[in-house]
Amino acid sequence: MEHKKCIIKILSGEAKGKLYKLVGSRISIGRATNADIILQDTNASRIHAYFEIKKDSAVIYDNQSMNGIFVNKRSVKEQELVSGDKILIGDTLLEFLIVDTKTVFEEKSITIKHTPSEDNNLLNPKPLAVIQKIQSYLTNLRSLPGGRRKIIIAVLFASAFFIYVIQNNNTHKESDRDKEAAQKEQSEKVIPGLEADEKKVVTEVPQFHNPLEKKKHINELYTEARVFHDVGKYYEALNLLEKILEVDSQHSLAIIKRNKWTAERDSIAQKLLDEGVRAYNNKYYDLASSYFQKVLDFIRIRNHELYRKAENGILRVEQAQNSE
């Protein structure tokens, strides 16, 4: 875009009125501190989207964000932009502008030049900084005496190896946790004839030869329930607590956790529902439908009040879209 500048103007939120001059081929936007354009928006993903600025075009790409991107109230995965396009990311409304290079910008304008995102690095930011320091030390080793140089090289490589082991261990832990959750879902037996959101696990109360067997079984169920809870799968977690109570109806920890996790689930679902209603009232129908569907997927119980409200929300969205 010769003799032209690409601008992002913030139209809502705390940064309202701020201008970003986009310089470079690929510019990230999201709530992460390493994003090129940082949004103070809890409904934006860490790296929510990318702008690609080319010689004769500008394109926005969704980065597999949770809430997607909307250009002129239409949900898109990628979209070539024209001056004046309105972009919704999370709850933040932006305007894309193409202006002449001679345009004078106000004090709030910031030039964004693309820098590699930390998300593209295999190491976390802190280990990465250590590695960069190690690299800088290595470049200065030639000026040191031979014996001292060997000691420093050994220490540096030991440090690098230690960082690698820690990072690799964390990665395996996350992978193992995901595998446990997936295996648990596949192992569930379902009563035939029920709809997907009404699936109920068929359970048989096991027989125990002694109290130790019973205690071990309960501990295993609780551990699995914690795994599901920690990854946000409340439906599965609560089902496992019910299995514990089938074995021991007076199990105090299971009762306490059931009440607490049920309240957490309903609170999250209510927030999703509220966001859907707000999007519907602002006529962002695709976004509203997405929020309502998330409530259905999260609750998965047809007779639950929030489930019924979300179903009604989807119906109202369809009616509104058909009337346009």
Side-chain angles (χ1 to χ4, degrees):
M1 293 188 178
E2 296 180 1
H3 310 299
K4 297 290 183 181
K5 290 183 180 179
C6 295
I7 307 296
I8 288 296
K9 183 176 183 180
I10 309 294
L11 300 180
S12 65
E14 295 181 5
K16 183 178 180 180
K18 185 175 289 187
L19 299 173
Y20 293 91
K21 292 179 281 185
L22 306 182
V23 180
S25 59
R26 188 173 171 89
I27 299 97
S28 61
I29 183 170
R31 60 179 172 81
T33 56
N34 62 314
D36 296 317
I37 301 176
I38 302 173
L39 300 178
Q40 303 297 327
D41 186 341
T42 56
N43 284 321
S45 298
R46 294 187 71 255
I47 301 297
H48 197 105
Y50 289 96
F51 294 99
E52 283 196 358
I53 310 301
K54 303 177 182 178
K55 184 176 180 181
D56 56 356
S57 66
V59 181
I60 186 171
Y61 295 92
D62 181 29
N63 188 41
Q64 297 181 342
S65 61
M66 179 171 290
N67 296 322
I69 56 176
F70 293 79
V71 177
N72 299 327
K73 296 188 177 182
R74 292 175 61 86
S75 177
V76 299
K77 291 297 181 184
E78 62 179 82
Q79 177 71 44
E80 184 171 345
L81 300 171
V82 297
S83 187
D85 278 348
K86 301 294 192 303
I87 304 166
L88 182 68
I89 293 181
D91 289 332
T92 305
L93 187 62
L94 319 168
E95 184 176 14
F96 176 78
L97 299 169
I98 300 175
V99 300
D100 191 271
T101 53
K102 296 181 180 180
T103 303
V104 178
F105 297 97
E106 59 188 58
E107 292 181 358
K108 286 186 176 181
S109 64
I110 300 173
T111 299
I112 296 298
K113 294 183 178 180
H114 171 65
T115 54
S117 171
E118 291 178 8
D119 282 359
N120 295 329
N121 292 304
L122 296 178
L123 295 174
N124 286 333
K126 289 184 179 179
L128 179 62
V130 176
I131 292 297
Q132 290 172 341
K133 287 184 179 180
I134 290 173
Q135 290 173 341
S136 67
Y137 291 150
L138 287 173
T139 60
N140 298 321
L141 285 178
R142 292 182 180 179
S143 61
L144 298 175
R148 187 178 177 186
R149 183 167 61 241
K150 289 180 181 179
I151 294 173
I152 293 177
I153 289 175
V155 171
L156 291 176
F157 276 102
S159 300
F161 180 74
F162 179 69
I163 292 169
Y164 169 78
V165 170
I166 291 175
Q167 181 70 21
N168 194 48
N169 186 47
N170 290 338
T171 301
H172 281 303
K173 283 182 179 180
E174 291 180 2
S175 177
D176 291 342
R177 187 175 66 179
D178 291 341
K179 285 180 181 178
E180 282 186 37
Q183 289 173 355
K184 182 61 185 177
E185 285 186 308
Q186 292 176 357
S187 65
E188 289 182 346
K189 296 181 180 180
V190 180
I191 300 175
L194 291 180
E195 295 183 16
D197 57 1
E198 292 180 306
K199 290 182 179 180
K200 296 189 181 297
V201 179
V202 178
T203 58
E204 294 181 1
V205 179
Q207 302 298 317
F208 304 103
H209 296 92
N210 56 62
L212 288 177
E213 281 188 7
K214 180 179 178 180
K215 183 178 181 180
K216 180 181 178 181
H217 178 72
I218 289 176
N219 288 339
E220 289 174 350
L221 289 176
Y222 182 69
T223 300
E224 291 179 10
R226 284 295 304 271
V227 170
F228 279 117
H229 171 266
D230 291 345
V231 298
K233 295 189 175 183
Y234 285 85
Y235 182 81
E236 291 82 357
L238 289 169
N239 272 337
L240 287 169
L241 292 183
E242 291 298 334
K243 286 185 179 181
I244 293 175
L245 293 173
E246 287 175 1
V247 174
D248 181 2
S249 61
Q250 302 301 318
H251 196 279
S252 58
L253 182 59
I255 294 172
I256 292 171
K257 290 297 183 182
R258 180 182 61 181
N259 295 338
K260 181 180 178 181
W261 292 355
T262 298
E264 287 179 5
R265 178 201 64 189
D266 291 352
S267 176
I268 295 171
Q270 183 64 60
K271 289 178 181 178
L272 291 171
L273 186 68
D274 292 342
E275 291 294 336
V277 172
R278 183 165 60 169
Y280 173 83
N281 291 335
N282 290 322
K283 297 185 178 180
Y284 289 104
Y285 296 129
D286 289 340
L287 181 59
S289 181
S290 173
Y291 276 119
F292 293 142
Q293 185 59 51
K294 286 176 183 178
V295 176
L296 300 184
D297 296 338
F298 198 67
I299 297 293
R300 294 167 60 182
I301 303 172
R302 293 189 68 90
N303 62 356
H304 195 286
E305 180 183 4
L306 295 175
Y307 189 100
R308 293 198 302 269
K309 287 182 178 180
E311 276 190 321
N312 184 54
I314 291 176
L315 179 61
R316 292 176 64 183
V317 167
E318 291 174 352
Q319 291 173 344
Q321 288 175 327
N322 292 334
S323 64
E324 287 188 343

